[in-house]
Amino acid sequence: MRVDRYDYAAQFGGDIDDLVADIKSMLLRGDYILGDEVARFESEFATSLGVRFAIGLNSGTDALVLALRTLGVGPGDEVITHANTFHATVAAIVHAGASPVLVDADEASYLIDVDQVAAAITARTRVVIPVHLFGKPTRMGPLLDVARDRAIHVIEDAAQAHGASLGGNAVGSIGELGCFSFHPSKNLAAAGDGGAVVTDDERFDRTLRIQRNLGQARQNEHVLLGMNSKLDAIQARILRHKLSRLNDWVAARNDVAARYRNLLAGLPISWQRVDAGEVHAYHLFQIRSAHRDELLAHLTALGVDAVTRYPTPIHLQAPFERFGWRRGQFPVAERLTSQLLCLPIRPGMTDAETEYVADGVRSFFAGRPQHEHGRPGIAT
Ligand SMILES: Cc1ncc(COP(=O)(O)O)c(C=O)c1O
């Protein structure tokens, strides 16, 4: 048996004909840049999140860069995020010209340790970027309190968290600006790159529309130094086709996660804690094991498409060497990056598939003496 992480065909459902016909007529009409499809997607995406504005961009990385620029962040400013995020969060801070400041992760949530954020704030801190990593919402309440007290902006990196919510509020809509990616791997996926920033603030909306269009307020009227970063019209049409299914997909991902938790209970592994009042979007289902690499090899040999996300914490990545971070400086991030393993999770995964994966994990531990199982942090 093979258990894959993606089923691209299933994301289109059975009714792909209207979509293909629309794309064909867009191709023939030359409907490529912005226009009705992008505007419609922006409006539908904003409505789905309960925000006033969504601005479609070229990628989630650009969303972060342009959100930072919209807040006027640049050289001399510091931006706080966490040491175990995906590379793009920190690359975006550097591309905006600011200095990244890292906070360690929390053992149970695998997200930024909110209680350590206040200590990382200096007179130069302008923004904190919580990352709803793997689809789990960050504890936004205490983070917003700290930010409000110190007049710091909050940008949510929700690139992995379409469909996640906290107390009924969609992630991405809680901070001042929320950034999304529509990379093909994401819960809401384009057939190529794409991204968006969402906000309730009319001034940010206007600036972002200018930012994404080479600084043009009107044609040939360049009022600021912008980027060329627009969501493609054809991608917008594809995203509209999928958006209405997102909630069902997140529910299906939650069902798979619940099955995994049941089937894997009692093994010497742990997973992200799920807190009251939150909807985890389960972009990834991460298990934590002291024997990650051997377990990964075991599952791969069984035909399970398990992967590591992400094996190297930010502070040990070569492009960030100039920031002078040291091994040992963010110990929880280092442990997580050496112990986390993603099991396949996608809507439409059958019980037989989840059972096969779980049996694979069980068989790995059954073959090892108890005393070698290791203690993979906090179990749930
Ligand atoms: C946490 C996080 N931030 C930012 C990004 C950047 O998104 P993109 O690949 O669309 O540039 C991604 C995804 O790739 C991500 O996972």
Side-chain angles (χ1 to χ4, degrees):
M1 187 168 188
R2 266 207 61 79
V3 184
D4 293 321
R5 278 179 304 136
Y6 303 113
D7 182 349
Y8 296 110
Q11 294 181 11
F12 289 98
D15 53 347
I16 195 173
D17 293 352
D18 286 353
L19 173 65
V20 172
D22 278 3
I23 291 176
K24 181 176 174 189
S25 66
M26 289 173 76
L27 288 173
L28 299 179
R29 273 201 316 271
D31 234 348
Y32 306 149
I33 305 286
L34 297 178
D36 284 351
E37 284 300 334
V38 174
R40 278 194 205 124
F41 172 68
E42 289 175 338
S43 153
E44 289 165 13
F45 190 53
T47 303
S48 75
L49 296 166
V51 290
R52 291 179 67 200
F53 308 107
I55 304 94
L57 304 170
N58 188 47
S59 69
T61 307
D62 282 4
L64 288 160
V65 174
L66 293 185
L68 287 163
R69 290 193 182 165
T70 294
L71 292 172
V73 171
D77 295 330
E78 291 178 354
V79 176
I80 296 174
T81 191
H82 47 120
N84 63 324
T85 183
F86 177 55
H87 176 87
T89 318
V90 179
I93 296 169
V94 179
H95 283 306
S99 302
V101 171
L102 300 180
V103 164
D104 207 356
D106 167 65
E107 291 274 7
S109 68
Y110 310 171
L111 305 179
I112 193 166
D113 185 343
V114 173
D115 300 331
Q116 290 191 43
V117 169
I121 294 173
T122 72
R124 293 167 57 196
T125 309
R126 295 285 314 284
V127 180
V128 55
I129 306 184
V131 186
H132 307 300
L133 209 56
F134 317 137
K136 178 176 166 65
T138 306
R139 284 166 58 217
M140 292 298 288
L143 196 71
L144 291 172
D145 289 345
V146 170
R148 201 176 303 112
D149 287 351
R150 316 287 182 97
I152 291 167
H153 298 288
V154 177
I155 296 176
E156 293 176 76
D157 183 341
Q160 299 189 2
H162 321 66
S165 63
L166 201 58
N169 298 309
V171 305
S173 73
I174 302 170
E176 290 159 274
L177 295 149
C179 297
F180 288 87
S181 164
F182 305 122
H183 180 273
S185 62
K186 299 297 192 271
N187 285 12
L188 179 62
D193 279 310
V197 178
V198 303
T199 184
D200 274 328
D201 190 310
E202 207 164 342
R203 289 162 314 156
F204 293 160
D205 173 60
R206 176 159 170 71
T207 306
L208 281 158
R209 288 178 194 285
I210 296 173
Q211 288 272 11
R212 76 173 171 187
N213 197 12
L214 286 168
Q216 295 179 95
R218 266 178 287 282
Q219 190 153 29
N220 295 328
E221 192 189 324
H222 300 268
V223 296
L224 53 80
L225 191 66
M227 276 165 51
N228 181 10
S229 180
K230 309 176 203 91
L231 179 66
D232 277 0
I234 290 171
Q235 300 301 348
R237 179 66 189 85
I238 291 167
L239 289 165
R240 288 187 62 221
H241 179 81
K242 295 183 178 182
L243 180 59
S244 59
R245 294 152 219 246
L246 179 62
N247 286 341
D248 289 347
W249 287 341
V250 170
R253 285 174 178 275
N254 272 273
D255 288 346
V256 175
R259 283 207 294 275
Y260 273 144
R261 285 195 301 263
N262 250 337
L263 293 165
L264 298 172
L267 291 178
I269 58 175
S270 55
W271 40 76
Q272 272 182 307
R273 194 185 60 213
V274 181
D275 293 307
E278 77 178 25
V279 174
H280 193 312
Y282 282 109
H283 171 56
L284 301 176
F285 187 83
Q286 295 271 14
I287 58 170
R288 188 172 174 187
S289 162
H291 302 285
R292 192 266 309 275
D293 293 339
E294 300 106 294
L295 176 55
L296 176 61
H298 178 82
L299 291 173
T300 306
L302 291 172
V304 173
D305 188 10
V307 290
T308 55
R309 295 282 182 277
Y310 300 95
T312 311
I314 295 294
H315 61 292
L316 302 180
Q317 293 183 12
F320 303 131
E321 220 175 80
R322 72 177 118 142
F323 298 106
W325 294 310
R326 302 173 316 278
R327 187 175 291 279
Q329 200 173 345
F330 303 102
V332 181
E334 286 178 28
R335 278 201 290 282
L336 289 171
T337 49
S338 69
Q339 296 183 334
L340 292 185
L341 168 64
C342 306
L343 300 182
I345 188 165
R346 53 176 164 69
M349 228 173 126
T350 61
D351 287 358
E353 286 178 306
T354 36
E355 277 159 25
Y356 182 77
V357 175
D359 284 349
V361 177
R362 283 203 168 274
S363 66
F364 172 79
F365 288 105
R368 303 181 74 90
Q370 281 285 334
H371 68 273
E372 279 183 19
H373 282 182
R375 296 189 54 77
I378 296 166
T380 48

